[in-house]
Amino acid sequence: MGGYKQWADGDALLPSEIDEYLMGQTRMRFASAAARDAAITSPVEGMTVFLATTGMEYTYDGTYWAARLRRIKKTAAQPVTSSIAVVDDLHLKATLTPGTYFVDAWLHATGSTTGDIKVTWTFSGTLTDSARIGTGPTRTTTQVEGGSVGSPVTAAVTVGVNRSSAHFLTSEVPYGTDGSSTSGIHEHLSLDVSGTGVLKLRWAQESSSGTATNLSAASHLRVERVAEDA
């Protein structure tokens, strides 16, 4: 890219400058990703385009056309039964190129009071820094809602507290399921990526149970690329 140039009266505008300074610094609009790729066969890092199909902007980072904000949704429920060995989630994963990211996982889990669920992450690329906070019901809870709607918890109900704690990316963090209601689990990650890789959610039962622990199709990831303070 030519960078930034300011012209003065009488300066000549060369064809190469039209390509580098004018076209390269203008937000280009395309109907779809296919139309974009057909028109721009050799993208240059820093190019920005708008796609009508998604209504979003994408910037070429040298390898991928990356959206600043992405939502990755589970397309089907996934059960784990009688197993404490963590497995890759079938849908909740994202390719991250070098940069700084906030990743929020919103997980909808059901299972028995004994099975519960544990959550961890893996990244196949290179991280220079990472932070993780998890919030959700604690294991062995018998009522994730803390009482029925409009009714306080009675002394006869054993209720687990809500955890809010910091962890390493690869730690296996347990959360509770109560056998009836849906547990809402929120994991927030802050990642400094220096080498491209795939971020994957991994999970299993906390204690082996013949009653399946499920992550429902309502679960999703929110991936946002952010800038460090200059």
Side-chain angles (χ1 to χ4, degrees), residues 199-220:
L199 177 72
K200 294 181 180 180
L201 176 75
R202 308 191 78 212
W203 60 278
Q205 292 180 320
E206 166 66 8
S207 299
S208 182
S209 172
T211 300
T213 296
N214 282 278
L215 280 187
S216 79
S219 303
H220 63 273

Side-chain angles (χ1 to χ4, degrees), residues 28-131:
M28 297 167 280
R29 301 177 62 194
F30 296 97
S32 64
R36 174 200 64 200
D37 295 342
I40 309 175
T41 56
S42 299
V44 178
E45 185 176 4
M47 281 184 171
T48 298
V49 303
F50 173 87
L51 299 185
T53 49
T54 62
M56 292 185 62
E57 289 185 346
Y58 297 79
T59 300
Y60 192 71
D61 63 8
T63 306
Y64 299 95
W65 287 101
R68 187 183 66 84
L69 187 64
R70 286 178 284 163
R71 179 176 182 247
I72 300 163
K73 191 175 184 297
K74 279 188 73 62
T75 57
Q78 181 178 345
V80 169
T81 307
S82 301
S83 177
I84 61 171
V86 293
V87 296
D88 291 346
D89 189 89
L90 298 177
H91 315 105
L92 299 182
K93 54 189 174 182
T95 297
L96 305 180
T97 56
T100 300
Y101 296 85
F102 290 156
V103 179
D104 286 288
W106 301 94
L107 308 178
H108 294 231
T110 58
S112 70
T113 56
T114 56
D116 292 331
I117 186 172
K118 60 183 176 183
V119 173
T120 183
W121 299 84
T122 182
F123 183 64
S124 62
T126 305
L127 296 174
T128 55
D129 194 19
S130 66

Side-chain angles (χ1 to χ4, degrees), residues 121-203:
W121 299 84
T122 182
F123 183 64
S124 62
T126 305
L127 296 174
T128 55
D129 194 19
S130 66
R132 173 187 176 193
I133 292 175
T135 304
T138 57
R139 56 188 166 185
T140 70
T141 182
T142 59
Q143 196 175 75
V144 299
E145 293 182 348
S148 59
V149 177
S151 300
V153 176
T154 65
V157 178
T158 302
V159 181
V161 298
N162 195 69
R163 72 176 304 150
S164 181
S165 48
H167 304 277
F168 293 113
L169 189 69
T170 56
S171 297
E172 296 181 358
V173 180
Y175 297 97
T177 55
D178 68 6
S180 58
S181 300
T182 299
S183 295
I185 299 166
H186 176 212
E187 291 238 336
H188 175 75
L189 312 178
S190 175
L191 305 173
D192 290 336
V193 177
S194 57
T196 299
V198 178
L199 177 72
K200 294 181 180 180
L201 176 75
R202 308 191 78 212
W203 60 278

